[in-house]
Amino acid sequence: MSGAFAKKVAIVTGGASGIGLATVKRLAAEGAAIGVVDLDGDRCRAAVGEARGAGAPDAVALPCDVSHGDQVTAAVRSAIDALGRLDVVVNNAGLMSFRPIEELETEDWMRILAVDLLGAFYFTKQAFLTMRRGGAIVNVSSIHAVETTPGVAPYAAAKAALVSLTRSTALEGKPRGIRANVVLPGAVDTPMLWSNPNVKAGLEKIERSDVGRPQDVADVIAWLASDQAAFVWGAAIRVDGGRLTKL
Ligand code: NAD
């Protein structure tokens, strides 16, 4: 896939850490100009440095909370002003919460849904308004969309809904020439995995061989975003080292 993203512009949300940062570097190494979206400006700028180091011809920091539609609109406008166009959006920003159902409040649901689901919707809307034919959207869901553990109901629901949003996006994107697909990572070696209290407490048991590297997911995201996947629309691809295939 050498140079697969030459002359293309990609926005990666949650691009300052983990799977997002690995995706930034992967797309940069293939020649993409990069817009890094994350909550904190300094961490965005550090990721921009990594993108340039990996080979991006240009890169910009787009500090933005993806759960605010107005901030997303401004971030996409800044990216196009600075980089000239938009070809790829990777909706990767996400967070989990840990509470049993009887302790959950409306606000818990609204925060997780706003970041993990609406964040992707806001970027998808802007992508539809600004992308040309040949554009690609890749959403980052989770195997929690399919199987889950206690205490993460809003996250599991949001990630399942993100798979559904991907189907709708693929359907409505088809006449526009904009593809959409979704990856469902299993356990991946990032800060999010090791800060998970279910994992820390041993309630969610993960074998070492079932823990992937961020770049394992980034490789699949990059392929889905590339023209090599030009006939792949609305696919949901598990990237979990086989964790869900066990009895
Ligand atoms: P991470 O915590 O390393 O990175 C997530 C990034 O998203 C952070 O930099 C964070 O600042 C950013 N972010 C969070 N809320 C945001 C917001 N409102 N606006 C902008 N940026 C925001 O986590 P990761 O493991 O790399 O997770 C990336 C994605 O992969 C998430 O959507 C996560 O649900 C998914 N995922 C991760 C795993 C895993 O085991 N690590 C498994 C399945 C799915």
Side-chain angles (χ1 to χ4, degrees):
M1 277 196 11
S2 180
F5 295 97
K7 298 193 170 38
K8 292 196 173 182
V9 174
I11 289 179
V12 181
T13 75
S17 177
I19 294 167
L21 181 57
T23 303
V24 162
K25 292 196 276 190
R26 181 71 167 74
L27 298 178
E30 299 290 344
I34 306 281
V36 178
V37 167
D38 212 299
L39 284 171
D40 176 73
D42 284 344
R43 292 175 61 239
C44 282
R45 283 184 281 281
V48 161
E50 298 229 28
R52 290 183 192 277
D58 205 352
V60 288
L62 305 166
C64 161
D65 183 334
V66 302
S67 69
H68 291 276
D70 52 344
Q71 292 187 30
V72 171
T73 303
V76 170
R77 194 174 301 130
S78 299
I80 293 173
D81 284 350
L83 305 173
R85 51 190 280 156
L86 180 60
D87 302 283
V88 172
V89 170
V90 180
N91 284 309
N92 162 79
L95 82 167
M96 295 182 90
S97 66
F98 300 92
R99 273 189 164 182
I101 285 172
E102 69 272 20
E103 290 177 16
L104 280 171
E105 304 292 347
T106 305
E107 302 77 61
D108 298 308
W109 278 95
M110 297 315 270
R111 182 64 192 150
I112 296 295
L113 289 170
V115 175
D116 292 358
L117 178 61
L118 290 182
F121 156 66
Y122 294 135
F123 272 98
T124 299
K125 177 174 176 173
Q126 291 307 313
F128 274 19
L129 291 171
T130 57
M131 264 181 185
R132 309 169 195 196
R133 297 187 75 80
I137 297 167
V138 183
N139 294 328
V140 180
S141 174
S142 165
I143 55 171
H144 282 272
V146 185
E147 306 278 347
T148 192
T149 48
V152 298
Y155 180 76
K159 290 299 190 180
L162 185 56
V163 175
S164 174
L165 174 65
T166 308
R167 278 193 293 271
S168 300
T169 306
L171 201 63
E172 295 186 32
K174 180 95 184 189
R176 299 167 184 273
I178 298 173
R179 292 183 305 109
N181 293 286
V182 59
V183 293
L184 284 65
V188 183
D189 185 3
T190 71
M192 181 184 264
L193 179 67
W194 303 119
S195 62
N196 179 331
N198 287 348
V199 173
K200 279 192 197 169
L203 295 171
E204 185 177 345
K205 295 197 191 333
I206 304 171
E207 288 176 33
R208 189 65 230 181
S209 64
D210 287 344
V211 178
R213 303 165 305 157
Q215 52 269 46
D216 293 328
V217 183
D219 285 346
V220 180
I221 293 171
W223 175 73
L224 284 171
S226 78
D227 291 341
Q228 286 193 347
F231 200 57
V232 184
W233 298 74
I237 299 184
R238 261 174 31 212
V239 188
D240 70 347
R243 198 170 163 214
L244 283 197
T245 58
K246 294 174 192 165
L247 280 173

